[in-house]
Amino acid sequence: MKTVFKNIFTGLLLAGTFVTVNGQFLAASDTSESSVKKYNSIINANKEIVEFIEYSLVQKGLPRHLRNLALIESHFNRNITSGAGAVGIWQFMTSHANQYGLTEQNRTDVYKSTKTAVVSLANLYRKYGDWITVVAAYNCGEGNIAKAMQNAGSTQYHIFSKYLPGETINHVKKYLNACYATGELESVLNNYNSSRLNKIFFTEGGSGKNNAAPLQETEINAGFNLDVIADELDVEMNEILAWNPGIVEELQKKGESPLYLPTDLMPDFLLKKNKILSRSIKEGSRMQQQ
């Protein structure tokens, strides 16, 4: 056991401004005084918008550092349009906006676009479990992330990132630079580190099936027993947790939660959904009677 833990942590170091994982670095690539001043001056020049964004994030339980995503996307300029057609402070493409019911015209509305961005970011975090992958997915889309994970055979950003578009890799670098400037880089890297260890223990330590498969979403309520779901789908419980970080707390607090499963398992779950719920209720009743 000592050897296992030694191997897991070999080459893993957190030192405030960088984390090295298996010899690869996630770091702020520009820690110059001019870079720090540039980012902070943009934030200070847009205090009203920044305060609203941070308030909206905190309301949903998301970290304030996500305000830096709007910072690098648009410098908080609601009227900016990218060459690809992304619009507003959150740079929504039409398809992304439509996915969340945000009209094309409202992409320039700070209030409505921010509320939509917060929901989108929360959903991405439920799916990926770390903010670095969320920033990458926000830039290039979940389809590109799924392909990169499949090509790399890994769900860890520092491994699959080489299969992402260069623009997305640079986008993540800008995010890390902005978080360095705002004094929040250590928090972002700690989050990635924690998520990575979970993936080592759960995803890589599981049965090995579907580890890098793209995920699909459905909804379940607190009546479903996660152990029963794992048993019916013939997967390890740890794999269910790896695909769905925070699902136990979500079910306890809200009584419902999205459930993410690999695309090849989702049809099986939907086919057995009623059976799984019925079995979950029966086993729950049995436990209460004991």
Side-chain angles (χ1 to χ4, degrees), residues 11-270:
L12 190 154
L13 173 67
L14 184 64
T17 57
F18 66 91
V19 58
T20 172
V21 194
N22 295 338
Q24 300 187 40
F25 289 89
L26 290 176
S29 57
D30 187 354
T31 59
S32 65
E33 185 178 352
S34 61
S35 175
V36 171
K37 284 184 176 179
K38 177 188 74 174
Y39 284 125
N40 282 304
S41 66
I42 296 170
I43 289 173
N44 290 332
N46 294 274
K47 282 186 177 179
E48 188 175 334
I49 291 177
V50 170
E51 287 176 0
F52 172 68
I53 290 173
E54 291 183 351
Y55 172 78
S56 301
L57 291 167
V58 171
Q59 264 196 324
K60 287 291 185 179
L62 304 185
R64 285 184 172 87
H65 64 70
L66 289 172
R67 132 266 296 149
N68 291 338
L69 187 54
L71 167 62
I72 64 170
E73 289 279 359
S74 65
H75 291 184
F76 306 112
N77 182 352
R78 72 187 74 190
N79 297 313
I80 193 170
T81 302
S82 74
V87 172
I89 64 172
W90 292 99
Q91 288 291 278
F92 274 105
M93 296 291 288
T94 300
S95 58
H96 189 186
N98 289 343
Q99 182 183 350
Y100 288 92
L102 182 70
T103 66
E104 192 164 349
Q105 295 77 15
N106 284 337
R107 290 183 294 169
T108 58
D109 185 299
V110 173
Y111 177 84
K112 292 179 180 178
S113 66
T114 295
K115 292 296 185 183
T116 302
V118 168
V119 174
S120 175
L121 292 168
N123 287 343
L124 290 173
Y125 189 75
R126 287 193 193 100
K127 184 170 185 176
Y128 298 118
D130 75 87
W131 294 117
I132 290 177
T133 304
V134 166
V135 170
Y138 191 91
N139 178 262
C140 69
E142 296 170 58
N144 281 322
I145 297 293
K147 290 176 186 176
M149 287 181 175
Q150 282 187 311
N151 289 333
S154 174
T155 59
Q156 299 179 59
Y157 176 83
H158 71 280
I159 296 175
F160 71 73
S161 58
K162 63 184 177 182
Y163 295 101
L164 294 175
E167 176 192 342
T168 300
I169 295 171
N170 288 331
H171 204 66
V172 171
K173 288 180 179 178
K174 288 179 183 178
Y175 191 79
L176 296 178
N177 290 342
C179 288
Y180 176 85
T182 56
E184 296 162 307
L185 181 59
E186 184 173 357
S187 173
V188 175
L189 296 182
N190 267 320
N191 169 265
Y192 180 78
N193 228 16
S194 175
S195 171
R196 175 182 177 267
L197 293 180
N198 285 339
K199 288 169 184 174
I200 289 174
F201 286 118
F202 297 144
T203 307
E204 294 179 6
S207 66
K209 293 181 294 184
N210 310 303
N211 285 350
L215 302 177
Q216 287 187 339
E217 178 185 355
T218 186
E219 292 286 329
I220 63 171
N221 58 42
F224 284 84
N225 184 310
L226 297 180
D227 286 303
V228 173
I229 293 175
D231 184 58
E232 289 288 341
L233 297 181
D234 191 26
V235 298
E236 298 292 332
M237 178 62 175
N238 286 339
E239 291 180 296
I240 297 289
L241 296 176
W243 296 322
N244 297 273
I247 189 171
V248 175
E249 295 80 3
E250 189 85 1
L251 288 171
Q252 288 175 345
K253 289 180 180 178
K254 299 183 179 179
E256 59 184 9
S257 172
L259 174 70
Y260 294 98
L261 293 170
T263 53
D264 59 334
L265 288 181
M266 185 60 78
D268 195 22
F269 172 78
L270 295 177

